PDB file of all heavy atoms in Angstrom:
ATOM      1  N   TYR A 963     -27.379  -4.489  -4.195  1.00  0.00           N
ATOM      2  CA  TYR A 963     -28.302  -3.359  -4.100  1.00  0.00           C
ATOM      3  C   TYR A 963     -27.852  -2.126  -4.828  1.00  0.00           C
ATOM      4  O   TYR A 963     -28.735  -1.284  -5.127  1.00  0.00           O
ATOM      5  CB  TYR A 963     -28.540  -3.023  -2.614  1.00  0.00           C
ATOM      6  CG  TYR A 963     -29.182  -4.082  -1.790  1.00  0.00           C
ATOM      7  CD1 TYR A 963     -28.495  -4.833  -0.903  1.00  0.00           C
ATOM      8  CD2 TYR A 963     -30.537  -4.346  -2.009  1.00  0.00           C
ATOM      9  CE1 TYR A 963     -29.136  -5.826  -0.125  1.00  0.00           C
ATOM     10  CE2 TYR A 963     -31.175  -5.344  -1.263  1.00  0.00           C
ATOM     11  CZ  TYR A 963     -30.476  -6.108  -0.359  1.00  0.00           C
ATOM     12  OH  TYR A 963     -31.086  -7.067   0.377  1.00  0.00           O
ATOM     13  N   GLN A 964     -26.644  -1.963  -5.140  1.00  0.00           N
ATOM     14  CA  GLN A 964     -26.212  -0.695  -5.754  1.00  0.00           C
ATOM     15  C   GLN A 964     -24.961  -0.918  -6.630  1.00  0.00           C
ATOM     16  O   GLN A 964     -24.095  -1.770  -6.369  1.00  0.00           O
ATOM     17  CB  GLN A 964     -25.820   0.200  -4.596  1.00  0.00           C
ATOM     18  CG  GLN A 964     -25.353   1.653  -5.037  1.00  0.00           C
ATOM     19  CD  GLN A 964     -25.031   2.510  -3.829  1.00  0.00           C
ATOM     20  OE1 GLN A 964     -24.869   2.013  -2.757  1.00  0.00           O
ATOM     21  NE2 GLN A 964     -24.772   3.815  -4.080  1.00  0.00           N
ATOM     22  N   ILE A 965     -24.903  -0.171  -7.750  1.00  0.00           N
ATOM     23  CA  ILE A 965     -23.735  -0.034  -8.505  1.00  0.00           C
ATOM     24  C   ILE A 965     -23.483   1.476  -8.918  1.00  0.00           C
ATOM     25  O   ILE A 965     -24.462   2.200  -8.816  1.00  0.00           O
ATOM     26  CB  ILE A 965     -23.718  -0.910  -9.739  1.00  0.00           C
ATOM     27  CG1 ILE A 965     -24.794  -0.366 -10.772  1.00  0.00           C
ATOM     28  CG2 ILE A 965     -23.965  -2.392  -9.496  1.00  0.00           C
ATOM     29  CD1 ILE A 965     -24.777  -1.047 -12.133  1.00  0.00           C
ATOM     30  N   VAL A 966     -22.315   1.775  -9.289  1.00  0.00           N
ATOM     31  CA  VAL A 966     -21.958   3.151  -9.653  1.00  0.00           C
ATOM     32  C   VAL A 966     -21.350   3.060 -11.050  1.00  0.00           C
ATOM     33  O   VAL A 966     -20.379   2.353 -11.237  1.00  0.00           O
ATOM     34  CB  VAL A 966     -21.075   3.863  -8.674  1.00  0.00           C
ATOM     35  CG1 VAL A 966     -20.691   5.235  -9.202  1.00  0.00           C
ATOM     36  CG2 VAL A 966     -21.765   4.009  -7.330  1.00  0.00           C
ATOM     37  N   LEU A 967     -21.906   3.805 -11.994  1.00  0.00           N
ATOM     38  CA  LEU A 967     -21.401   3.872 -13.410  1.00  0.00           C
ATOM     39  C   LEU A 967     -21.234   5.319 -13.866  1.00  0.00           C
ATOM     40  O   LEU A 967     -21.705   6.222 -13.205  1.00  0.00           O
ATOM     41  CB  LEU A 967     -22.401   3.178 -14.317  1.00  0.00           C
ATOM     42  CG  LEU A 967     -22.731   1.649 -14.046  1.00  0.00           C
ATOM     43  CD1 LEU A 967     -23.721   1.206 -15.118  1.00  0.00           C
ATOM     44  CD2 LEU A 967     -21.475   0.831 -14.026  1.00  0.00           C
ATOM     45  N   GLU A 968     -20.503   5.457 -14.969  1.00  0.00           N
ATOM     46  CA  GLU A 968     -20.373   6.802 -15.579  1.00  0.00           C
ATOM     47  C   GLU A 968     -21.597   7.014 -16.381  1.00  0.00           C
ATOM     48  O   GLU A 968     -22.313   6.148 -16.935  1.00  0.00           O
ATOM     49  CB  GLU A 968     -19.168   6.782 -16.479  1.00  0.00           C
ATOM     50  CG  GLU A 968     -17.796   6.585 -15.785  1.00  0.00           C
ATOM     51  CD  GLU A 968     -16.606   6.666 -16.679  1.00  0.00           C
ATOM     52  OE1 GLU A 968     -16.773   7.227 -17.777  1.00  0.00           O
ATOM     53  OE2 GLU A 968     -15.550   6.102 -16.311  1.00  0.00           O
ATOM     54  N   LYS A 969     -21.918   8.309 -16.528  1.00  0.00           N
ATOM     55  CA  LYS A 969     -23.122   8.726 -17.298  1.00  0.00           C
ATOM     56  C   LYS A 969     -23.096   8.208 -18.724  1.00  0.00           C
ATOM     57  O   LYS A 969     -24.140   7.821 -19.284  1.00  0.00           O
ATOM     58  CB  LYS A 969     -23.265  10.234 -17.304  1.00  0.00           C
ATOM     59  CG  LYS A 969     -23.631  10.748 -15.952  1.00  0.00           C
ATOM     60  CD  LYS A 969     -23.711  12.363 -15.982  1.00  0.00           C
ATOM     61  CE  LYS A 969     -24.178  12.893 -14.664  1.00  0.00           C
ATOM     62  NZ  LYS A 969     -24.262  14.372 -14.639  1.00  0.00           N
ATOM     63  N   ASP A 970     -21.893   8.139 -19.339  1.00  0.00           N
ATOM     64  CA  ASP A 970     -21.736   7.642 -20.684  1.00  0.00           C
ATOM     65  C   ASP A 970     -22.166   6.225 -20.887  1.00  0.00           C
ATOM     66  O   ASP A 970     -22.376   5.723 -22.024  1.00  0.00           O
ATOM     67  CB  ASP A 970     -20.358   7.849 -21.217  1.00  0.00           C
ATOM     68  CG  ASP A 970     -19.942   9.280 -21.395  1.00  0.00           C
ATOM     69  OD1 ASP A 970     -20.917  10.176 -21.426  1.00  0.00           O
ATOM     70  OD2 ASP A 970     -18.696   9.614 -21.407  1.00  0.00           O
ATOM     71  N   ASP A 971     -22.277   5.459 -19.779  1.00  0.00           N
ATOM     72  CA  ASP A 971     -22.582   4.070 -19.836  1.00  0.00           C
ATOM     73  C   ASP A 971     -24.029   3.781 -19.711  1.00  0.00           C
ATOM     74  O   ASP A 971     -24.553   2.621 -19.776  1.00  0.00           O
ATOM     75  CB  ASP A 971     -21.902   3.269 -18.658  1.00  0.00           C
ATOM     76  CG  ASP A 971     -20.372   3.326 -18.795  1.00  0.00           C
ATOM     77  OD1 ASP A 971     -19.872   3.231 -19.919  1.00  0.00           O
ATOM     78  OD2 ASP A 971     -19.726   3.619 -17.764  1.00  0.00           O
ATOM     79  N   LEU A 972     -24.838   4.896 -19.654  1.00  0.00           N
ATOM     80  CA  LEU A 972     -26.314   4.697 -19.471  1.00  0.00           C
ATOM     81  C   LEU A 972     -27.111   5.353 -20.554  1.00  0.00           C
ATOM     82  O   LEU A 972     -26.662   6.352 -21.110  1.00  0.00           O
ATOM     83  CB  LEU A 972     -26.722   5.396 -18.104  1.00  0.00           C
ATOM     84  CG  LEU A 972     -26.116   4.764 -16.853  1.00  0.00           C
ATOM     85  CD1 LEU A 972     -26.356   5.650 -15.681  1.00  0.00           C
ATOM     86  CD2 LEU A 972     -26.565   3.335 -16.647  1.00  0.00           C
TER      87      LEU A 972
END
Side-chain angles (χ1 to χ4, degrees):
Y963 293 107
Q964 181 183 11
I965 67 171
V966 175
L967 300 180
E968 297 182 21
K969 290 180 179 179
D970 292 342
D971 298 316
L972 298 170

